[in-house]
Amino acid sequence: MVNLAESAKRGSGRTWRRRGSALSRALALSRSRQRRARGHLQRRQPREQPRRRQGREGGGTMELKKDSNAVAIDMLLIVHSEKRRAAQATHLDSQADPGALLQNRGGFQGVRNGIRKWQELERNGFQGNLPEKQCLQPPQVITSYDNQGTQLTVEIHPQDAMPQLLKKFSLAKRLQGDKNGNMRPRQPGRKDAHAYPWDRSSLKSMPLDLRHFEKLDASASQVTVKSGLDELVSDLLQEAHSDLERVRAIWIWICHHIEYDMEAAQEKDRQAFKPTDILRTQKTNCDGYAGLFERMCRIAGVQCVTVPGYSKGFGYQTGQSFSGEFDHAWNAVYLEGHWHLLDSTWGSGLVDTTTSKFTFLYNEFYFLTHPALFIEDHFPDNKNWQLLKPPQSLRQFENNMYHKSEFYNKGMLSAHPETSMIRTVNGKATVTIESCAPTLFMFMLNGKQEHGLLSLRKNGMKLEVYPPTMGTHKLQIFAKGNSEIYSSVLEYTLKCNYVDLSVRLPTELHQPVGPSWFSEQMGITKPSHPDPIIHTSDGRCSISFGVEEGISVLASLHGDDGPITEETQRRYIFQLNREKRTELKVQLPHAGKFALKIFVKKRQEQGNFVFVFNYLLCCANTKVNWPMFPESFGNWGQGNELLEPLSGVLPANRNIPFKLKLHGIAKALVKGQDTWPLTLNPEGYWEGSCNTAGCQEVYVMVLENANHNFYSYILKYKVNDQ
């Protein structure tokens, strides 16, 4: 998915705290009143009216009261003229939070800029109905917190302005926090941190049973936007009865309705998206996803912050370094006493690297992801938001192995090597993966399924790669889950400084090699050769395995050199079918390496044979030059056996002896220019001979029933030209 970076927000108001200001001191004096506050939020006249200097400065006090869990605030408001404020700007900046100073001086770029624009949009949204003249002079906004987490935001307007703030928004609602009355999300602490590495117990940072969300997910995904954000959140929460379910409903809706805006993502100065615009277009970038998620959680009464940082997503190159502006944004939510991480941008879908088009493809992995897994592709600007102890450094983040989300979604547990950059040893690199269940794998080296041996294990796989040239290569590993689609789970940069020319693998050697749990699942059991590589000194070998009832087996031989064509690929294999077991006699046409492919098919089902696995056959004997076997037909039945002649090409003008074991037949003969009968000997073999003079082909034919008057072909030989 797309690489975008995160920005942490300082609280629900998203502005900085002025520690030494008069406003903060005034708030500190009002704490006792805040604890006793009751009644509806009211505004009353100040106890005494201070003098006001016309056009210069003025002040007053105001007490606000709110019912139930709200706060009462005695406020001393001092308004300076523009000139006086400008003179004090340097003094105020020296007391500001260091983060605010960086922000004021343009120290944060990229996603930071996007998040700052979100803050500006929120502030400007409160005065959207003001005359144009007033909009040209935006108010000064000051937000302060006391040490109990109470937030106050004050807007200071020019003297001639008429801010109708109470018409634009409800102050009581603006001061509303979560259900516990907390106004400012607390920073993650020691109890939020997870010790890494991942303990394999769960992909989530809290115990979850996703089956409990089925009804909620179905309901949330069908909610439509009717008017504004408040009504949307209200509709989403109809089926939600806890903070966890509220977060889940918001997550599901965003992931299924908001599309990633590729055009906006490619702009250098990324625009900030107003919630109203996102709901209207249903498009945004990562800043918009994170900002919308935070805003909806705040309306729902759940503590949520936006986190900026670096990411390994769309456009990421294995081993790359990160610097400069952040490229992504995600969220943290406070649930059941702990902070948890999620990324609705990556949860919603992915971008095709070839077309740069976004596709909705829900990804459960990025909902409340375990921090030890989240850190693999998300590095926050503030190390506390890693929720890890000890936190990782940026250098560790860059060098660590990146397991894609599908690695864990498809049940992978670990991979070796654990670094994204690997080197060959004597021209070979080995990769192993451990999985929690039997899984199908495939690999690609530089975009091709060549130059490697991939063998399946019951809980994982082993891959040996032999790069054909020196230099840097791209190695990708794919896994197949419940669907028919292979997904990329790992990517390595492979460096090769030596090529073993003796190891040249056939182009047609596909994955997997050797029998495994998969071939057993497909009906092939107890192989005579459990290893994937078979060496033969004379170019011949015999391979056998059990075959389940109702399964047909087909084999073909593939090599890179020699005259083997598609028509003759099966003629170097002679298949003998015995009861519940099949034997493959193989004769190689020459020295070299060959792929022996095994296919199966259920006899009662329509369709083609399905590839199961292959062996790698190796022969170094340059004198090897075996001919093809005779061609067999469908009537070559189970239990039949050919002793001679094994060569499918017979010499001309010669008497050729025949010896076969044939079951369930009445008569057998050999037909060339003439016809020669075969006789049954005491050992159960049909024997005889024929002369090849004057013919180009020779057939073995059988009469299956003495009452029949027609013969069937079972074998076919070719005769050399004279």
Side-chain angles (χ1 to χ4, degrees):
M1 182 59 230
V2 180
N3 272 347
L4 313 154
E6 319 181 350
S7 303
K9 313 231 169 147
R10 301 296 184 199
S12 10
R14 306 185 193 178
T15 50
W16 62 88
R17 179 178 178 181
R18 298 182 179 273
R19 300 185 179 180
S21 66
L23 181 58
S24 297
R25 293 195 295 272
L27 286 172
L29 294 174
S30 66
R31 292 172 187 157
S32 60
R33 290 180 179 270
Q34 295 170 13
R35 290 192 293 268
R36 300 194 303 271
R38 294 291 185 271
H40 289 288
L41 186 64
Q42 300 176 354
R43 178 171 181 166
R44 66 188 189 191
Q45 296 297 320
R47 294 190 180 94
E48 65 178 4
Q49 292 285 354
R51 294 180 181 179
R52 172 174 297 184
R53 298 180 183 179
Q54 295 296 330
R56 299 294 295 173
E57 61 182 36
T61 61
M62 176 176 68
E63 183 178 50
L64 305 178
K65 289 186 177 181
K66 181 183 175 185
D67 193 11
S68 184
N69 296 325
V71 296
I73 303 174
D74 284 321
M75 179 173 68
L76 175 63
L77 178 62
I78 301 175
V79 182
H80 297 284
S81 66
E82 292 298 324
K83 292 183 179 179
R84 184 163 183 173
R85 280 208 305 272
Q88 294 177 339
T90 304
H91 175 69
L92 290 174
D93 282 347
S94 67
Q95 300 179 27
D97 194 298
L101 291 176
L102 283 174
Q103 197 167 359
N104 291 338
R105 296 169 185 168
F108 296 148
Q109 303 295 328
V111 173
R112 271 290 157 87
N113 292 337
I115 292 175
R116 187 164 63 249
K117 291 176 183 177
W118 256 94
Q119 298 169 357
E120 294 170 356
L121 286 172
E122 285 194 310
R123 293 198 295 268
N124 295 339
F126 299 150
Q127 49 191 356
N129 295 331
L130 297 181
E132 182 178 357
K133 178 180 179 181
Q134 295 175 349
C135 292
L136 295 176
Q137 300 180 13
Q140 180 182 358
V141 179
I142 300 175
T143 297
S144 182
Y145 305 91
D146 72 354
N147 59 11
Q148 294 179 337
T150 303
Q151 170 196 330
L152 178 65
T153 300
V154 176
E155 294 185 4
I156 303 175
H157 295 259
Q159 183 177 0
D160 59 347
M162 298 294 292
Q164 302 176 10
L165 298 180
L166 293 180
K167 290 184 179 180
K168 193 64 183 172
F169 71 100
S170 167
L171 184 59
K173 188 171 184 178
R174 180 66 177 167
L175 292 177
Q176 181 180 355
D178 62 16
K179 66 179 182 180
N180 298 318
N182 297 321
M183 299 306 304
R184 184 187 188 192
R186 71 168 184 82
Q187 292 293 308
R190 184 173 301 176
K191 69 176 183 178
D192 300 300
H194 296 255
Y196 68 83
W198 171 51
D199 62 7
R200 302 183 177 186
S201 60
S202 172
L203 301 182
K204 305 296 186 182
S205 54
M206 64 187 300
L208 289 182
D209 186 348
L210 297 179
R211 293 173 297 181
H212 294 165
F213 292 136
E214 290 178 355
K215 182 179 178 181
L216 178 66
D217 290 355
S219 173
S221 63
Q222 298 301 317
V223 171
T224 58
V225 179
K226 298 175 183 176
S227 58
L229 200 59
D230 288 353
E231 185 178 2
L232 172 62
V233 174
S234 177
D235 291 342
L236 286 172
L237 302 189
Q238 294 300 314
E239 299 291 335
H241 307 293
S242 65
D243 281 356
L244 172 60
E245 292 183 347
R246 294 181 186 98
V247 169
R248 179 70 179 191
I250 294 170
W251 156 270
I252 287 294
W253 189 88
I254 291 179
C255 288
H256 287 80
H257 290 83
I258 304 303
E259 178 180 349
Y260 190 82
D261 192 333
M262 283 300 299
E263 294 182 1
Q266 293 170 354
E267 296 178 1
K268 291 185 178 180
D269 185 17
R270 292 195 300 272
Q271 59 177 309
F273 288 79
K274 293 182 180 179
T276 53
D277 292 338
I278 297 176
L279 296 186
R280 176 177 54 82
T281 65
Q282 297 202 343
K283 284 187 176 184
T284 188
N285 58 9
C286 68
D287 306 338
Y289 274 101
L292 179 64
F293 193 93
E294 181 184 345
R295 184 75 174 272
M296 294 175 73
C297 283
R298 193 188 314 165
I299 294 173
V302 178
Q303 291 192 46
C304 177
V305 298
T306 297
V307 186
Y310 296 120
S311 65
K312 296 178 179 178
F314 182 74
Y316 168 73
Q317 299 294 324
T318 303
Q320 80 175 57
S321 299
F322 293 89
S323 62
E325 65 182 41
F326 299 117
D327 62 1
H328 195 38
W330 56 94
N331 295 99
V333 291
Y334 193 71
L335 299 171
E336 300 183 8
H338 295 275
W339 283 104
H340 304 271
L341 302 169
L342 50 81
D343 186 341
S344 56
T345 309
W346 291 7
S348 63
L350 51 82
V351 173
D352 190 307
T353 56
T354 57
T355 63
S356 294
K357 298 293 184 181
F358 175 83
T359 301
F360 277 106
L361 186 63
Y362 176 71
N363 192 341
E364 175 65 38
F365 177 77
Y366 290 106
F367 179 74
L368 308 186
T369 315
H370 194 290
L373 307 181
F374 204 75
I375 191 61
E376 292 198 20
D377 47 20
H378 291 74
F379 187 85
D381 70 325
N382 184 335
K383 66 180 181 180
N384 291 335
W385 287 114
Q386 294 182 23
L387 305 183
L388 290 173
K389 57 180 181 181
Q392 291 192 13
S393 67
L394 180 58
R395 179 62 59 86
Q396 286 177 294
F397 175 74
E398 293 171 345
N399 294 336
N400 283 354
M401 184 62 206
Y402 168 37
H403 305 94
K404 298 185 179 182
S405 61
E406 286 301 292
F407 180 90
Y408 298 106
N409 285 339
K410 287 184 165 48
M412 309 297 104
L413 298 174
S414 64
H416 184 82
E418 296 180 346
T419 57
S420 57
M421 182 80 68
I422 57 178
R423 298 180 182 274
T424 60
V425 177
N426 296 326
K428 180 179 75 172
T430 303
V431 176
T432 59
I433 292 180
E434 180 187 0
S435 61
C436 61
T439 306
L440 290 175
F441 294 89
M442 63 170 285
F443 78 93
M444 296 187 77
L445 184 67
N446 301 325
K448 297 182 179 180
Q449 300 180 44
E450 300 176 5
H451 310 294
L453 299 172
L454 190 153
S455 55
L456 298 177
R457 297 175 174 178
K458 188 173 183 180
N459 291 309
M461 71 90 176
K462 178 181 179 181
L463 170 63
E464 295 177 337
V465 182
Y466 301 87
T469 60
M470 291 188 293
T472 302
H473 304 267
K474 182 179 180 180
L475 175 61
Q476 296 170 286
I477 299 177
F478 303 82
K480 182 179 177 182
N482 296 327
S483 68
E484 293 299 314
I485 300 174
Y486 280 88
S487 301
S488 176
V489 295
L490 282 180
E491 186 174 309
Y492 289 96
T493 297
L494 178 59
K495 293 200 171 183
C496 177
N497 56 8
Y498 169 77
V499 176
D500 188 350
L501 297 178
S502 65
V503 182
R504 182 182 176 187
L505 302 178
T507 303
E508 290 293 324
L509 186 72
H510 293 166
Q511 303 96 44
V513 293
S516 66
W517 61 267
F518 177 65
S519 57
E520 184 172 347
Q521 179 179 299
M522 298 297 288
I524 296 178
T525 62
K526 298 179 180 179
S528 59
H529 293 69
D531 295 329
I533 302 177
I534 299 176
H535 293 275
T536 170
S537 58
D538 64 355
R540 295 186 297 180
C541 64
S542 178
I543 303 165
S544 64
F545 39 77
V547 179
E548 291 184 357
E549 187 175 354
I551 298 294
S552 296
V553 176
L554 186 66
S556 60
L557 190 69
H558 304 262
D560 289 341
D561 300 322
I564 298 180
T565 65
E566 185 174 354
E567 297 179 357
T568 60
Q569 285 171 350
R570 298 185 185 92
R571 296 286 300 280
Y572 288 93
I573 305 165
F574 195 79
Q575 185 170 326
L576 303 175
N577 298 310
R578 299 183 176 87
E579 185 177 359
K580 296 183 179 180
R581 198 160 183 87
T582 293
E583 180 182 1
L584 302 176
K585 292 182 178 292
V586 182
Q587 295 182 163
L588 301 181
H590 52 78
K593 293 183 174 65
F594 297 83
L596 176 62
K597 292 190 173 184
I598 311 297
F599 303 82
V600 300
K601 177 182 176 297
K602 291 184 178 180
R603 296 192 188 103
Q604 296 180 350
E605 292 184 359
Q606 299 295 323
N608 299 324
F609 281 81
V610 178
F611 170 74
V612 180
F613 71 97
N614 44 210
Y615 284 104
L616 176 62
L617 305 184
C618 304
C619 178
N621 188 348
T622 58
K623 296 181 180 180
V624 167
N625 184 22
W626 292 104
M628 296 182 293
F629 286 103
E631 183 178 357
S632 60
F633 298 97
N635 291 325
W636 179 262
Q638 178 175 304
N640 291 351
E641 184 177 354
L642 175 65
L643 271 67
E644 58 178 348
L646 291 176
S647 173
V649 181
L650 304 178
N653 302 317
R654 296 279 299 274
N655 285 322
I656 307 297
F658 281 78
K659 187 174 183 180
L660 309 89
K661 179 170 284 189
L662 305 172
H663 293 277
I665 66 167
K667 293 182 180 181
L669 59 84
V670 178
K671 183 180 184 304
Q673 184 73 14
D674 297 312
T675 300
W676 292 268
L678 300 178
T679 58
L680 184 62
N681 69 18
E683 289 80 23
Y685 289 94
W686 292 86
E687 292 182 308
S689 64
C690 82
N691 191 283
T692 59
C695 59
Q696 295 180 336
E697 297 175 335
V698 172
Y699 294 89
V700 176
M701 307 175 68
V702 297
L703 185 67
E704 296 179 356
N705 191 306
N707 296 323
H708 291 174
N709 57 5
F710 60 88
Y711 283 78
S712 301
Y713 294 100
I714 59 172
L715 294 176
K716 176 183 177 181
Y717 293 85
K718 285 188 174 295
V719 178
N720 275 329
D721 295 335
Q722 297 182 8

